[in-house]
C-alpha cells in the first residue's frame, strides 16, 4: 500500500505565516499614516507605476523548490521608482494591488497562497516604507538617496524571502527550508542588479522625461535577453538531466533498481509531482505499477491517474495529454473524475512496434506551473530511452533466467542447483542436514526411441510437475540432467531424507497416457546429505549421482550414498579400457550353471554366464563389467562373445551325442538392435546348433518397458525357432497377462522370491501364483536360486518343473561341468534334450550337489 507522507501539511497552515504578515502590514501602515502627512499623491502616476509593477511581476525565470515555484522578476525596477516618486501609502497600495492582480489573474493561486502573497507584499512594502521614513528625505538622487532606496528594496526582498522560507519549513520541514535558503545568493544578486537598473532609470527620468522612450527600448531588449536566458537555462537543465538519466540507466543493473532510478530522475527532470511507470504482465513478468512522488523517499504502488488513461495510451500507441496548456480533452478530463491531477502526459513505451507499457508524469510542481507543448517532445525522448533500457533489462533478466533454468521444464538447471547447494552448505544449522534427492526417470531412453523425443519431453514435463506439486514448500526442485531431477532441502537426518525420498517416489509414481499407450512413471532415487557425505557442493552432487546409479540397478529403489559406491564407481571407470583388452585377448570366460527338473533332477540345459578374472582386481562382478560394456559401446561384442562360446559348447556336447540346451542373457538395449536376429541366425548356422537348443533370457524390465520397440526383434527371434525367456520375473511392475501378447516360452521366477519361500508366506504365494498362471498360459517356469531341500520340496508341491541354484551346482567352467556331469550321472543315463522333450527315463539322473 502507498505510505502516507506524515511530514507534509496542508497549505491551510500557511495562515500561521499569513496572519502575522497581515498584522505587520496593518501595524506598519497605521504608523506610516500617523507619521507621514502625504496621502496617496498623484493617482495618474500611481496608476502608471502600478501597471509597471504588474508587468514586472511576471517571472522571466522560474526555479522549483520542492513543491513551490520561485520566480525571478523585474519588480525591483518599478519599486525603486515608486519609493522615490510616490508617498509611502501609495507605494504599499500599488505593490499590494499588483500582487492581487498577478496572484488571482495571472497565476490563479488558491486562496491560501493568494492571501499569503498579498499579505507578504503589504507587509514588506509597508515595513520598508516605514524604515525609509526614518531616513533622510529623498529630495535628490545623490548617493545617499541611492543607499536609502537600495536599503528599502533589500528590506522588501528579505521580508519576502524570509516569509517563503518560513512557509516551506512550516509545511514541508527543515529540509525544504534549507533548499529554499540555497536560492538566497541568486535572489539577492538579481535584486541588486534590478535595483541598480532601477536607480539608473530614476536618474534618467530625473534628467529628462524623454528618456522614457530610450528606457522602453532598453527594457524591451532586456526582457528579450531575460527570456532567451530562461530558455537557454531550461534547455541546459533538460540536456544535463537527460545525460544524467541516460548514464544512470545504463549503470542501474537489475530492473528493480532501474525503475527506482528512472522514476525519481524523470519526476525531477520534468519538475512533476508524480512519475508513474506501468508495465502490463508479460509471460513470467508480473504487472508493474510504481509511482515516484515528490518528497517521498520510496515508490508507491498506486497512480494518480485512472487505469483507463494508461490503457487508452497503450491501445492507441499515442501520447495522451490533459492540462490547461495542453489542450484539455473533455473526455479524458471526465475520466479523471474528482482526481487530484491538474495536468498529465502519458507516453507509450515501445519495443519495436509493440507497446510494452506507459510512462507518465502528473502535476507540474507549484500551483502556477503547467506542462506545456514544449514538454511533450522532451518527455517522449525520455520515454524512448526508458523503453530501450527496460527492454534491455528484461532481456538481460531473461538471459540470466535461461542460464539458470531448464528450457523444457522451466525448473532450475544444474548450474542453479549447484549454486543453491553451495549457499546451503555454508550455513550450518545444528540438528539439520542439507539433503540432496536425485530422481532418475526409468526407461526414458526406450520412450525416446519408440515414441520419439516429443513423447520423452512430455514425460519429463509431467514428472517435473508432479515433483513440484509434491515436495515441501522449503525444497528447491531442479532438473539436474537429461532424465534426472534434483530436490534439495534441509531435514533432520539422513533417515528423514530416505523417508521423504520414498514418499515422493510413491506420490509421483502413476500412469501416464500417450494417445492409446499407457506408461508407468517410475524413478530410482539416490540420496546424499551434508555434512555426512561431503563438505562441498561438488562432492555432494557427485555422490548423489553415484547413489542414483546404484538405485537404478534395482528398479524403483531408493539408495543412500555409501563410500563403497564410490570405490565401485572408480573401479568401473578403470575397467573400461581393460574390458576392451580382455575381449581382444580372450581373458573373459563363460561359465555354465545347470538347469534341472525338480521332480527327478534330470538335466535340461545350462545357462551361460560371462566371468572375468582381472589381473589386478581379481574377480569382477558381472553387473560391473556389463554396465561398463553398456556405457562404453562394447555390449554388442560382449553379447556375441557369450553367444559364440555357448553355442560352441552346445555343439561339442551334441557331438558327444548328448544335446545340450543353452541359455544366454540379453541386455534390454540388445532388443532394439535390428541386426541382432541376423547375428543369431549366422551363429546358429556357423556352429550347427538347432535353434530349439538356444534360449535367450531378457529381464522383465527390458521386455515389458511400456513400449512396442522390442516386439519386432522378439518376433524375428521366435521365427528363427529360438526359445525366449523372461528373466527376474516379479521384480518389475508387469503382470502375466501382459506376457500373453509377447512371443515368449518361459518365465524365470526371481531368486529373491524363491529364496524367501521357506520363511515368507508372501513370497510363497507369489511363486505359487506365477507357476499356476504360467502353466495355464502354456509357459514353462524356471525357479532361480534353489539352495535348500525345503525350497525344493515347496517348489515340487506347487508344481514347478525346472530349477537352478547352488543346491545343484554353482556356475562352472565347461571342463568342470563335464567332470561334474560325469561324476553324478547314473549308468542308465540318457542324453540330455531340450525342455520341450522332457519325459521320464530320457534324462540322466543327478545326485544333489553338496
Amino acid at each position: 500500500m502507498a505510505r502516507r507522507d506524515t511530514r507534509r501539511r496542508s497549505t491551510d497552515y500557511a495562515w500561521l505565516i499569513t496572519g502575522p504578515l497581515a498584522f505587520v502590514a496593518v501595524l506598519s501602515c497605521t504608523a506610516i499614516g500617523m507619521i507621514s502627512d502625504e496621502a496617496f499623491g498623484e493617482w495618474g502616476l500611481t496608476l502608471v507605476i502600478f501597471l509597471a509593477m504588474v508587468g514586472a511581476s511576471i517571472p522571466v525565470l522560474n526555479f522549483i523548490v520542492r513543491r513551490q515555484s520561485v520566480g525571478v522578476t523585474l519588480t525591483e525596477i518599478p519599486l525603486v521608482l515608486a519609493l522615490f516618486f510616490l508617498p509611502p501609502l501609495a507605494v504599499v497600495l500599488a505593490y499590494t494591488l499588483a500582487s492581487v492582480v498577478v496572484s488571482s489573474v495571472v497565476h490563479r493561486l488558491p486562496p491560501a497562497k493568494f492571501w499569503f502573497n498579498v499579505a507578504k507584499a503589504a507587509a514588506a512594502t509597508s515595513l520598508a516604507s516605514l524604515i525609509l521614513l526614518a531616513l533622510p528625505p529623498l529630495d535628490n538622487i545623490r548617493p545617499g538617496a541611492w543607499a536609502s532606496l537600495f536599503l528599502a528594496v533589500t528590506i522588501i526582498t528579505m521580508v519576502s524571502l524570509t516569509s517563503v522560507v518560513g512557509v516551506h519549513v512550516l509545511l514541508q520541514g527543515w529540509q525544504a527550508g534549507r533548499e529554499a535558503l540555497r536560492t538566497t545568493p541568486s535572489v539577492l544578486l538579481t535584486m541588486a542588479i534590478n535595483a541598480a537598473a532601477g536607480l539608473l532609470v530614476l536618474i534618467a527620468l530625473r534628467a529628462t522625461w524623454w528618456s522614457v522612450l530610450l528606457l522602453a527600448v532598453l527594457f524591451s531588449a532586456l526582457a528579450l535577453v531575460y527570456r532567451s536566458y530562461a530558455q537557454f537555462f531550461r534547455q541546459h537543465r533538460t540536456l544535463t538531466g537527460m545525460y544524467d538519466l541516460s548514464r544512470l540507466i545504463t549503470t542501474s543493473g537489475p530492473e528493480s533498481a532501474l525503475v527506482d532510478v528512472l522514476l525519481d530522475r524523470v519526476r525531477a527532470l520534468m519538475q512533476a509531482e508524480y512519475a508513474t511507470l506501468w508495465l502490463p504482465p508479460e509471460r513470467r513478468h508480473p504487472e508493474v505499477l510504481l509511482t515516484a512522488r515528490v518528497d517521498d523517499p520510496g515508490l508507491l504502488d498506486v497512480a494518480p491517474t485512472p487505469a483507463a488513461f494508461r490503457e487508452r495510451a497503450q491501445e492507441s500507441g499515442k501520447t495522451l495529454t490533459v492540462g490547461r496548456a495542453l489542450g484539455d480533452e473533455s473526455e479524458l478530463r471526465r475520466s479523471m473524475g474528482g482526481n487530484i491531477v491538474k495536468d498529465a502526459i502519458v507516453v507509450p513505451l515501445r519495443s519495436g512496434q509493440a507497446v510494452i507499457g506507459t510512462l507518465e508524469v502528473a502535476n507540474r510542481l507549484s500551483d502556477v506551473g503547467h506542462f506545456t507543448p514544449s514538454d511533450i517532445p522532451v518527455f517522449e525522448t525520455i520515454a524512448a530511452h526508458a523503453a530501450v533500457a527496460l527492454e534491455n533489462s528484461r532481456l538481460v533478466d531473461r538471459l540470466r533466467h535461461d542460464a539458470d533454468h531448464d528450457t523444457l521444464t522451466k525448473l532450475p538447471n544444474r548450474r542453479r542447483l549447484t549454486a543453491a547447494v553451495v549457499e546451503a552448505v555454508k550455513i550450518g544449522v545444528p540438528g539439520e542436514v542439507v539433503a540432496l534427492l536425485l530422481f532418475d526417470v526409468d526407461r526414458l531412453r526406450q520412450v525416446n526411441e519408440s515414441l520419439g523425443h516429443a513423447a520423452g519431453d512430455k514425460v519429463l514435463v509431467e514428472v517435473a510437475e508432479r515433483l513440484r506439486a509434491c515436495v515441501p514448500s522449503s525444497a528447491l526442485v531442479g532438473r539436474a540432467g537429461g532424465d534426472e531431477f534434483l530436490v534439495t532441502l534441509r531435514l533432520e537426518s539422513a533417515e528423514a531424507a530416505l523417508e521423504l525420498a520414498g514418499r515422493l517416489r510413491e506420490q509421483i509414481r502413476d500412469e501416464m497416457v500417450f494417445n492409446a499407450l499407457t506408461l508407468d512413471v517410475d524413478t530410482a532415487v539416490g540420496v546424499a546429505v551434508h555434512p555426512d557425505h561431503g563438505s562441498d557442493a561438488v562432492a555432494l552432487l557427485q555422490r548423489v549421482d553415484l547413489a542414483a546409479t546404484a538405485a537404478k540397478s534395482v528398479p524403483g529403489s531408493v539408495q543412500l550414498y555409501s563410500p563403497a559406491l564410490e570405490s565401485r564407481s572408480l573401479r568401473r571407470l578403470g575397467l573400461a579400457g581393460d574390458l576392451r583388452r580382455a575381449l581382444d585377448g580372450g581373458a573373459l570366460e563363460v561359465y555354465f550353471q545347470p538347469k534341472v527338473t525338480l521332480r527327478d533332477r534330470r538335466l535340461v540345459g545350462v545357462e551361460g554366464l560371462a566371468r572375468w578374472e582381472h589381473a589386478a582386481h581379481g574377480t569382477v562382478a558381472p553387473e560391473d563389467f556389463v554396465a561398463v560394456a553398456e556405457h562404453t559401446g562394447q555390449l554388442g561384442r560382449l553379447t556375441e562373445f557369450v553367444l559364440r562360446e555357448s553355442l560352441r559348447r552346445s555343439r561339442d556336447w551334441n557331438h558327444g551325442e548328448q544335446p545340450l540346451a543353452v541359455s544366454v542373457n540379453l541386455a534390454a538395449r540388445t532388443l532394439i538392435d535390428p541386426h541382432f536376429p541376423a547375428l543369431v541366425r549366422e551363429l546358429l548356422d556357423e556352429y550347427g546348433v538347432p535353434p530349439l537348443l538356444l534360449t535367450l533370457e531378457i529381464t522383465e524390465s527390458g521386455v515389458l518397458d511400456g513400449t512396442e520397440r522390442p516386439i519386432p526383434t522378439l518376433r524375428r527371434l521366435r521365427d528363427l525357432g529360438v526359445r525366449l525367456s523372461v528373466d527376474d520375473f516379479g521384480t518389475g511392475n508387469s503382470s502375466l497377462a501382459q506376457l500373453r501378447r509377447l512371443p515368449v516360452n518361459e518365465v524365470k521366477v526371481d531368486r529373491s522370491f524363491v529364496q524367501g519361500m521357506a520363511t515368507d508366506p508372501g513370497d510363497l504365494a507369489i511363486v505359487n501364483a506365477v507357476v499356476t498362471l504360467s502353466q495355464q498360459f502354456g509357459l514353462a517356469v524356471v525357479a532361480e536360486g534353489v539352495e535348500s531341500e525345503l525350497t525344493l520340496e515347496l517348489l515340487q508341491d506347487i508344481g514347478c518343473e525346472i530349477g537352478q541354484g547352488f543346491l545343484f551346482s554353482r556356475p562352472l567352467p565347461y571342463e568342470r561341468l563335464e567332470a561334474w556331469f560325469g561324476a553324478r550321472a547314473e549308468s542308465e543315463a540318457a542324453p540330455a534334450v531340450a525342455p520341450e522333450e522332457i519325459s521320464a527315463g530320457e534324462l540322466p539322473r543327478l545326485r544333489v550337489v553338496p
Side-chain angles (χ1 to χ4, degrees), residues 662-722:
V662 293
S663 300
V664 175
N665 290 299
L666 297 182
R669 186 174 296 181
T670 305
L671 295 179
I672 60 176
D673 181 2
H675 305 292
F676 180 69
L679 174 65
V680 173
R681 184 179 62 250
E682 291 175 4
L683 294 177
L684 288 172
D685 294 341
E686 179 180 347
Y687 291 102
V689 176
L692 188 63
L693 294 182
L694 175 62
T695 299
L696 299 178
E697 299 182 2
I698 309 101
T699 59
E700 178 186 5
S701 60
V703 73
L704 295 171
D705 62 353
T707 70
E708 299 293 327
R709 187 65 181 272
I711 304 301
T713 302
L714 293 175
R715 287 175 177 167
R716 291 175 61 190
L717 291 171
R718 181 198 59 185
D719 294 342
L720 290 176
V722 173

Side-chain angles (χ1 to χ4, degrees), residues 674-843:
H675 305 292
F676 180 69
L679 174 65
V680 173
R681 184 179 62 250
E682 291 175 4
L683 294 177
L684 288 172
D685 294 341
E686 179 180 347
Y687 291 102
V689 176
L692 188 63
L693 294 182
L694 175 62
T695 299
L696 299 178
E697 299 182 2
I698 309 101
T699 59
E700 178 186 5
S701 60
V703 73
L704 295 171
D705 62 353
T707 70
E708 299 293 327
R709 187 65 181 272
I711 304 301
T713 302
L714 293 175
R715 287 175 177 167
R716 291 175 61 190
L717 291 171
R718 181 198 59 185
D719 294 342
L720 290 176
V722 173
R723 300 180 72 251
L724 300 174
S725 175
V726 178
D727 197 8
D728 299 334
F729 190 82
T731 58
N733 300 318
S734 60
S735 66
L736 282 169
Q738 293 175 285
L739 293 178
R740 298 182 63 185
R741 64 185 180 88
L742 300 177
V744 297
N745 310 94
E746 178 182 277
V747 172
K748 297 187 73 173
V749 185
D750 187 68
R751 68 180 65 250
S752 62
F753 300 111
V754 174
Q755 292 174 347
M757 290 174 57
T759 57
D760 190 338
D763 288 344
L764 178 60
I766 291 173
V767 176
N768 188 17
V770 171
V771 172
T772 303
L773 291 175
S774 297
Q775 291 173 347
Q776 292 179 359
F777 292 149
L779 301 175
V781 181
V782 178
E784 296 182 293
V786 183
E787 297 183 358
S788 68
E789 289 288 350
L790 179 58
T791 301
L792 177 63
E793 292 175 3
L794 291 173
L795 290 170
Q796 290 175 343
D797 292 342
I798 63 178
C800 184
E801 299 175 343
I802 305 172
Q804 68 181 97
F806 290 175
L807 180 64
F808 308 116
S809 174
R810 296 176 180 273
L812 301 172
Y814 180 73
E815 294 76 12
R816 290 183 59 190
L817 177 67
E818 286 190 310
W820 171 87
F821 179 73
R824 287 162 178 77
E826 296 181 352
S827 58
E828 67 275 15
V833 295
E836 284 80 3
E837 302 176 10
I838 296 175
S839 63
E842 293 181 345
L843 298 180

